[in-house]
Amino acid sequence: MPGPLAHLTVIELAGIGPGPFACMLLADLGATVIRVDRLPGPPSRGGLEDLMRNDGIVDRGRRSIAVNMKDPRGVEAVLRLVDSADVLIEGFRPGVAEKLGLGPEVCRARNARLVYGRMTGWGQRGPLSQAAGHDLNYIALSGALHAMGPADRPPAPPLNLVGDYGGGGMLLAVGVLAAHAEAQRSGQGQVVDAAMTDGAALLMAAQYGLMAKGFWQDRRESNFLDGAAHFYGTYECADGRFVSIGAIEPQFYQQLLALCGIDDPGFQKQWDSGEWPMLRSQLEALFRTRTRDDWCALLEGTDVCFAPVLSMKEAPAHPHNAARGTFVQADGVVQPAPAPRFDRTPAQLPPRAPLVGADTRALLARAGYAVADIEALCAAGVVHAGEAA
């Protein structure tokens, strides 16, 4: 059974970071994602692009056509694919797609129902829109980075999850699906401007709401969700590994105290922030008396709101993850499974990332090119037909 997006065709102008992640989400859910790759060439000078492009996991589920988009014949080939597509996704700086001849006006003149998704860090407009940047810079501008990490150290980068993926790729996926749903009613596509600065700010909605009510301090490690509170954080165990505690609600907190044998009346002042440093210090000493496995045996599966802090290598083997199939293995590579789950149109792990140009001939034929014309484009270096993956 194909996934819930089996009806959707997406053109992806190849890039790195959040755009490919959004396309992975769509491919995971059954969409046909056609990745328009550059012609194969020598490694780029920067290195990061080569490291992240055609990633075996994030780029799974694609079909690949390799095109010289500096050649008008290559641009025309892409536009002929756009003619029958539902969504196009690009992650260039503002104006680059237009210079290539693949901007939204050109594409939507040929396909009025096309949803044109644009993924950038700063957005299509604004004084920083043309500046270079990375995840860390975008979340810095949103207020999110300032809130993360210990109070006595610089803000801690949360990998590139908040900007690139949560505030970027997922935001773009939601945006293009919303625009596609609207196009089914109106018959008209539209441009979706997904900016990581906007997305990271959106992810901070709860914190801004708490601050508006006077329940959130605008400084690190001063609040109940940022590591200050003793009942919400991580603790080192006797074996040097860690556990996480999230006993916010009073009934969960009381169970934590009961199961850990804590009868100190000072712990009844759960929400007295002035007591948090002392109470945390006491919990730190307590958790160092047993190994992580010992604490799992005592607390896991209870309403304490507990989980061991697992490494990336440990996580796939945990019984809960194994039972749900949260991780899967394909071609010897362990990777997260498609999510969320659907009971009638379940998503399945799509094929691994294709080699660049693996589907060039088939996709040109799909766009209406005759065999002789396809071979002529290959011979002229306008397109590259790679070997099938």
Side-chain angles (χ1 to χ4, degrees), residues 4-63:
L5 297 182
H7 63 287
L8 199 72
T9 298
V10 179
I11 306 298
E12 173 191 7
L13 302 186
I16 61 173
F21 183 70
C23 290
M24 184 199 81
L25 297 177
L26 301 177
D28 280 0
L29 301 185
T32 296
V33 180
I34 298 170
R35 190 183 68 211
V36 180
D37 284 305
R38 293 195 306 242
L39 297 182
S44 66
R45 185 174 57 188
L48 176 63
E49 187 171 343
D50 297 309
L51 179 65
M52 298 188 69
R53 191 182 295 280
N54 207 26
D55 176 270
I57 297 176
V58 175
D59 285 313
R60 67 193 183 194
R62 312 298 209 275
R63 303 184 73 190

Side-chain angles (χ1 to χ4, degrees), residues 9-376:
T9 298
V10 179
I11 306 298
E12 173 191 7
L13 302 186
I16 61 173
F21 183 70
C23 290
M24 184 199 81
L25 297 177
L26 301 177
D28 280 0
L29 301 185
T32 296
V33 180
I34 298 170
R35 190 183 68 211
V36 180
D37 284 305
R38 293 195 306 242
L39 297 182
S44 66
R45 185 174 57 188
L48 176 63
E49 187 171 343
D50 297 309
L51 179 65
M52 298 188 69
R53 191 182 295 280
N54 207 26
D55 176 270
I57 297 176
V58 175
D59 285 313
R60 67 193 183 194
R62 312 298 209 275
R63 303 184 73 190
S64 170
I65 178 172
V67 179
N68 178 4
M69 287 187 285
K70 294 182 179 180
D71 189 307
R73 294 169 294 178
V75 173
E76 175 60 23
V78 176
L79 289 172
R80 286 176 66 166
L81 290 169
V82 167
D83 289 345
S84 58
D86 301 295
V87 176
L88 183 146
I89 286 176
E90 59 96 354
F92 303 129
R93 290 197 204 191
V96 171
E98 284 84 349
K99 291 179 182 177
L100 292 172
L102 294 169
E105 290 188 6
V106 172
C107 291
R108 293 183 57 234
R110 299 178 63 124
N111 180 353
R113 298 174 68 92
L114 182 74
V115 171
Y116 196 104
R118 315 198 81 166
M119 183 76 257
T120 59
W122 308 111
Q124 295 297 310
R125 294 178 316 216
L128 296 176
S129 62
Q130 290 295 329
H134 275 299
D135 176 292
L136 194 66
N137 311 123
Y138 310 136
I139 70 172
L141 206 69
S142 71
L145 183 61
H146 177 266
M148 298 174 185
D152 60 349
R153 277 175 274 171
L159 303 182
N160 59 332
L161 302 179
V162 178
D164 277 353
Y165 300 128
M170 283 194 176
L171 183 75
L172 177 61
V174 170
V176 297
L177 291 176
H180 176 67
E182 194 279 335
Q184 305 313 295
R185 179 186 62 80
S186 68
Q188 295 293 312
Q190 57 186 304
V191 175
V192 178
D193 175 3
M196 284 178 262
T197 50
D198 297 344
L202 192 62
L203 292 175
M204 290 289 287
Q207 281 70 35
Y208 276 100
L210 289 169
M211 190 166 65
K213 293 188 289 188
F215 201 66
W216 189 270
Q217 304 300 312
D218 194 17
R219 56 182 185 269
R220 285 188 300 287
E221 206 173 15
S222 302
N223 303 281
F224 74 102
L225 294 176
D226 64 3
H230 61 291
F231 53 83
Y232 195 88
T234 58
Y235 290 93
E236 185 176 7
C237 304
D239 54 3
R241 296 189 291 179
F242 293 83
V243 295
S244 66
I245 298 292
I248 299 175
E249 292 81 357
Q251 67 273 26
F252 302 153
Y253 181 71
Q254 291 302 322
Q255 188 169 94
L256 169 68
L257 300 184
L259 289 176
C260 291
I262 299 172
D263 55 11
D264 182 341
F267 276 89
Q268 297 305 319
K269 301 177 181 180
Q270 180 185 357
W271 287 96
D272 185 343
S273 60
E275 300 293 322
W276 287 353
M278 180 188 68
L279 297 176
R280 171 170 281 279
S281 178
Q282 292 186 49
L283 281 184
E284 287 172 347
L286 175 65
F287 278 105
R288 281 196 293 266
T289 63
R290 305 188 191 186
T291 67
R292 190 183 73 182
D293 288 347
D294 289 338
W295 287 114
C296 286
L298 178 66
L299 301 176
E300 194 166 22
T302 72
D303 279 353
V304 164
C305 302
F306 167 94
V309 177
L310 302 178
S311 71
M312 289 172 62
K313 291 183 178 179
E314 291 177 308
H318 187 277
H320 183 79
N321 291 335
R324 285 187 58 81
T326 300
F327 295 88
V328 294
Q329 182 169 311
D331 301 315
V333 177
V334 176
Q335 55 196 284
R341 314 298 174 87
F342 299 84
D343 69 345
R344 187 171 55 81
T345 57
Q348 298 179 353
L349 184 71
R352 65 181 181 178
L355 297 177
V356 170
D359 306 291
T360 294
R361 286 188 172 88
L363 291 171
L364 289 175
R366 169 180 172 148
Y369 284 89
V371 173
D373 294 331
I374 294 172
E375 295 307 320

